Amino acid sequence: MMWEREITIEGKNFQVTISDEYEALRSAFAEGRAVIGLWDRNRTDQCLSPASYLVESYEDITTELLERVVRRKEGMPWNITETRRLLIREFVTADADEIPKEPDGGETGALFYSRNTLESYIRQQYGFYEYGIWALYDREKKVIVGKAGLFNFDPGENEELYSLMKKNDTPLELGYHIFTPYRRQGYAKEACQAILTYAASSLTDRIYARVLDENRASVNLLKSLGFHLTGRTHNGSASPQCLYEWNC
């Protein structure tokens, strides 16, 4: 079986082929169309390799899925969610030209400073995990005011952190960085609140966050978002590192 669906994205029409047959998917993919495989769990001979996205029922194909499949195929960023002021979306390589090199940008902040490193991040992080650090784009000001998102929890050398966590196959951590000119304007809470709502509906119902105990602004933000303190570790530092947990 094969179906054709059409979707308009940013004023341009795209065709999407949905099929449970390899040849139909291969042919459509070779012609440059986005494809979705219709998977039958009872078939052992089914090969749907041209498709990066599979569904078990045609009814599972929503407009959101169609748009995301096309965007991934065309190299266009996914729009994650929106707030009153912000469009929270995936980064694109050209965004590197707008990212200020601030000392508190985080350990991985340098990834966003050049087009080459940002391109690698986009391909490896979004393409594989479908989540990561996203751009916070103010629709009215037409500028990126910061970045925020979710990433796999890595305790580094502080293995004690894992003892504070509940057993979880892939614990996710919330991170954010508002650029200096846009601080104290409520962007951090607005963005993080929307990201947590998105995570609860699409990814997981438990999120962690780490912050130094002396960083009272971030501690207060986490508490206002509904995070609760799980524990503290010193790990050789003067200020304890605190682990906070959020459950929807």
Side-chain angles (χ1 to χ4, degrees):
M1 295 183 290
M2 185 179 76
W3 296 266
E4 297 288 344
R5 293 277 295 272
E6 184 174 276
I7 186 169
T8 303
I9 303 173
E10 298 180 7
K12 184 178 179 180
N13 293 333
F14 296 90
Q15 296 288 333
V16 182
T17 298
I18 302 104
S19 181
D20 58 355
E21 297 295 339
Y22 168 79
E23 284 301 327
L25 294 171
R26 185 196 61 79
S27 177
F29 188 81
E31 293 173 7
R33 294 199 298 274
V35 297
I36 298 174
L38 191 61
W39 179 53
D40 184 346
R41 64 172 63 236
N42 296 316
R43 286 181 56 182
T44 59
D45 62 336
Q46 197 175 34
C47 175
L48 303 174
S49 59
S52 299
Y53 294 86
L54 306 178
V55 295
E56 290 192 70
S57 169
Y58 182 82
E59 286 68 32
D60 294 333
I61 302 175
T62 63
T63 300
E64 180 185 33
L65 176 61
L66 286 173
E67 179 169 346
R68 289 192 165 188
V69 170
V70 169
R71 283 181 174 274
R72 191 64 80 223
K73 171 70 169 56
E74 298 294 324
M76 303 164 66
W78 281 10
N79 294 330
I80 302 302
T81 188
E82 294 188 19
T83 68
R84 179 175 61 86
R85 294 178 291 180
L86 299 172
L87 167 63
I88 301 176
R89 62 161 173 80
E90 294 179 342
F91 277 97
V92 296
T93 54
D95 291 332
D97 302 337
E98 299 185 39
I99 307 300
K101 297 179 180 179
E102 298 184 336
D104 56 350
E107 295 181 3
T108 61
L111 291 173
F112 300 85
Y113 294 160
S114 80
R115 291 196 176 203
N116 286 339
T117 55
L118 183 52
E119 181 181 16
S120 295
Y121 178 83
I122 290 167
R123 182 178 64 256
Q124 296 171 17
Q125 181 69 33
Y126 301 152
F128 185 79
Y129 292 104
E130 298 188 347
Y131 57 79
I133 297 298
W134 299 307
L136 309 181
Y137 181 79
D138 187 306
R139 297 189 301 274
E140 183 176 341
K141 295 178 180 178
K142 301 186 184 307
V143 66
I144 297 174
V145 300
K147 57 186 191 288
L150 303 167
F151 48 92
N152 292 344
F153 189 96
D154 180 4
E157 297 180 358
N158 192 352
E159 293 291 341
E160 186 182 351
L161 283 172
Y162 267 134
S163 68
L164 300 175
M165 301 170 61
K166 294 182 174 62
K167 298 300 180 183
N168 195 335
D169 290 337
T170 310
L172 296 183
E173 183 174 357
L174 174 71
Y176 73 93
H177 175 217
I178 304 301
F179 303 145
T180 301
Y182 308 106
R183 294 177 183 175
R184 299 183 183 276
Q185 299 177 43
Y187 283 117
K189 184 171 183 178
E190 184 175 336
C192 290
Q193 212 160 35
I195 288 169
L196 290 173
T197 300
Y198 171 79
S201 64
S202 305
L203 298 170
T204 181
D205 59 359
R206 181 180 295 118
I207 302 291
Y208 292 95
R210 279 179 286 183
V211 62
L212 292 177
D213 200 31
E214 64 187 17
N215 188 347
R216 302 314 301 172
S218 288
V219 168
N220 291 336
L221 172 62
L222 292 176
K223 289 181 178 179
S224 72
L225 291 168
F227 280 82
H228 63 271
L229 180 65
T230 299
R232 293 180 172 88
T233 68
H234 285 275
N235 199 39
S237 62
S239 179
Q241 188 175 63
C242 301
L243 182 68
Y244 285 82
E245 180 183 335
W246 176 89
N247 293 283
C248 69

